[in-house]
Amino acid sequence: MNVSFTIWRCMIVLLILYSNCCLLFPAVFISQGGYLTVEPAPLFLMGSNLTVYCHKCPSGSKIFLVLNEKIRIEGKTSNCTTKFYLPRIWSPLSTLWCVIQTKQTNKVETGLDLRAGLPPDKPADLTCQTERNSDLMNCSWSRGQETYISTFYNITVSRNNGTQIHSDHIQDKGGITIPSSMLDENTTYILIVVAHNHFGVNRSDPFTFSVKDTARVTRPTAQANVTATCVIPDTPHIKQIEFESKPIAAILHWSTTESSKQLRAFVRLHTNISWEIEGAQLSQDLIRVDNLSLLTEYEFQVKTCRPASGLVGDSTSSSTTVSPNSGKTSICSKWSPGVRMESPGKGPSQLLHVWRQLGSQRTNGHRTVTVMWKPLPSEDYSGQLQEYKILFPKNLPAQNCAARLNQCEVEIPAEIQTLTVSAVTAYGMSPPAEVALTHSGALGPDLGYLTPAANGTAVLITWSWLKHKHLSTTEGKLLYYVMEWESVPSAGKMQWQKLSKDLTSFSVAGLWAGVRYRVALYAVTTSGVSTPSTSLIYSKEQKPDSGPNMYVLVHEASRILIRWDELPVGKQRGFITKYTIYFQPLDSSSKELSETVPGSVPRQMWLDCPEGALALQITASTSAGEGPRGRRISSQPAAPAVGMVIVIIFVISTVIAIIANLMCWSCVRKRIKQTCVNWGPGWLVDRLPKPGHSNAIKLLEHDGSEPNFSSNDSDPPLSPITVIPQDREEVYPTVHIEVPLNGTGDTREETLSLISAVETQVVGSLLEHASYKPQIAALAPERDEVNEAKEDQGDMTENEEEVKCSSTFEGLLGGLLLSIDVESVDPTGELTVGSVSEFLWPKLSDASVLNKGFLQDGKGTEDGEEADSHCVGFQQDDITDMCSPQCTGVMSLNGGYFPQVAPATVNKL
């Protein structure tokens, strides 16, 4: 008693410390003195009234009672005892505390446990059962209501004559086992059960039974005698349990040791709540249990029953069963040992919603397809989703995709037109959902109104398919629609939804305000997929984030050509309805002007503006309003293009100067001249006479006056013209000129060579030009090409004296001589121009002699008559030294008429 009391005190302290609903005191202490007493007793009949006494002297403190740690009960104190009254206590177990309250603390003085109970009920429903081959007989009864205290049962088995053969004493049980060896088949036995506890004793009615199957015994009751049989069918056993998933059901395979022809099986299943009798027998050894829950653990038991032919039994007995169809009582076996199994999960039964995106075609004839699907609802299947399986026709291997994915990319031959997708779980696969890969050729549905929601997160899209009802059967029957939507620019996540063919509208939800979306609607028919009907939408338009960038292309005095960039789609935040251009002269006192243009016009325009430098900005507007201004730029009118003109003039002048400089170079002139001769027409290079240079014309201008040898004119006077017959071979005499060399009689090679060259050139010229000309063009050696080029350019003043001398000498050689023989006879070794001129140009008085000697018809010598002539020097003031030949020679004239002598130039060697 002391140990128990100490334990209770410790428990009370712990409960007070952690409880906040009992005594609201700062601290509780346990005292060592005082005790409690209860009337009638701590163990009492449930529902009784109790009187409790706390024996403790208060010594000025207050004492109260606490029931079950919650209820505070006030009492009356007399001397050292405080009395408390507790009416009708129904709790089987109660706790009492006697507490002393002081100013500082509350002390639990003592405590006591109370127990309440009930007397036992009369044992009822006594049965004794055994099987045919069993060694034991089981007798049981119903104990009635719960007593809450220990109840004992005394069992006695006696023969019908009163001899007791078996007795037993048990506690809180409802049955005993009697050995079959103690029982005789031909004897009737009586079973009596007596129940007793602290509050009373109760005795059952005698139960009479027999071991025989057909034995009929009676037991006295208030209404009638009841007979019972004690032999029941053998207990069956469950061999196997199979589950079906659609719907969830269990099929039990059972067996028994006796014949099952007259037996009917029953099954019960137990969950965590209670036993339930279910089942419908399919055959002699099969029974089905329906309406099972998914993934639930069940315990199954089976019993068999046979009709009680001619017997009347107690329907409440566990060994009897009343048939629901016939109302007859059946004798049943014991329940078989329980078998625990968990019901399977449910396999997916719905079709997946599937869609696809066609990719590019590869060089090997394959194409890529992105297959997409919507996950099945969780209530459609049990357990975990394992994977998705994509199946292809033509026995191509399937492709498995992870359960966490909602799309998968595959590469298939281009000729494949369909594929299927299924969800795989531990309890089965979903039906295959078909994906169409071909185009039907039909047009997409007609999109109707696009209505944004008021909250700016959705858009209602309507469409119509009525006009397509006339489509041919080759384009297929409408199956369903598919709606796609994706943000622009793309964020890499395209969303879609499969829609019923009966719908004509759909609300696209989950959109963001100010974000552009592209929607596309497809119609899927039995022939394939139609072309999409697309549109751009905003769930709610907002003002643009920024202004466009503007550029000035041309700025004139009173107008300006500007261009601006289109805002990025992400910054538009709506459909651009207009642009506003703000411009203002840089003079701060000027008023800012603006120009508004529609958003659909080209983003380049001429703008009339004030003169001078300008500052410009531009804004974009949507239906929500005008956005911020763009970058501020400034521009000035373009200055006159003087610099460009100066550059052009400088370049042209430089080119002309280079060309003129090149023309002054002799080699360049020669190349240009030769090129013109080779590529130009013939008349361009023909040398025509220059009448202005002819002395004859000049003499005619002076009325035929005598020639003046001191004159600068180089042409000789005119001579009489005599016609010479063509059959005369030699008309002109040979002129022999001897040139002495430095007084020693030697002739200079250089002079002879020069004269010979001149002779050859003159003769060739005469043969080539046989007809008459008023004068003969200047002939010179190849070494004098430079002088000839200068004559062609008209530079007559460059060397005037050389021209005069050359004209006299060349005229003599070209007009009078066909051959010139030069011999060196002058001892001075020089051939002067004066000596030649003295011979060739006689005085006026000797002109007739020259004419007679050389021009008369038939005069002269045929062999080339020789005439000696010596060189006589001219005056230096008549002819320059440059024209003085240093030789004498013989010149022979063999043919051709010449009226005058052309100039010939001989350079001093």
Side-chain angles (χ1 to χ4, degrees), residues 172-246:
D172 298 331
K173 291 183 180 180
I176 63 171
T177 300
I178 303 173
S180 299
S181 58
M182 299 175 60
L183 303 176
D184 187 6
E185 293 183 358
N186 299 320
T187 305
T188 302
Y189 298 96
I190 299 174
L191 174 65
I192 299 175
V193 179
V194 178
H196 63 92
N197 61 15
H198 179 74
F199 298 105
V201 178
N202 212 331
R203 179 186 177 95
S204 69
D205 294 331
F207 175 74
T208 304
F209 65 92
S210 173
V211 178
K212 283 187 178 182
D213 292 348
T214 58
R216 184 184 300 267
V217 295
T218 61
R219 63 180 179 182
T221 62
Q223 296 179 355
N225 294 329
V226 178
T227 62
T229 181
C230 60
V231 179
I232 60 176
D234 292 340
T235 304
H237 296 276
I238 299 175
K239 298 189 301 183
Q240 183 181 359
I241 299 177
E242 296 178 352
F243 286 96
E244 293 182 354
S245 58
K246 298 178 182 180

Side-chain angles (χ1 to χ4, degrees), residues 53-108:
Y53 298 94
C54 180
H55 302 278
K56 176 67 177 177
C57 295
S59 62
S61 299
K62 186 176 182 180
I63 298 177
F64 60 89
L65 191 68
V66 176
L67 176 64
N68 295 329
E69 305 178 6
K70 296 180 180 180
I71 303 174
R72 176 171 174 165
I73 302 173
E74 301 292 339
K76 294 181 179 180
T77 303
S78 175
N79 298 327
C80 291
T81 301
T82 304
K83 182 179 179 181
F84 303 95
Y85 180 73
L86 280 65
R88 302 183 64 84
I89 303 300
W90 290 99
S91 176
L93 179 63
S94 301
T95 302
L96 294 176
W97 294 344
C98 181
V99 181
I100 299 176
Q101 180 179 0
T102 64
K103 294 181 179 180
Q104 291 80 16
T105 60
N106 295 320
K107 296 188 297 182
V108 176

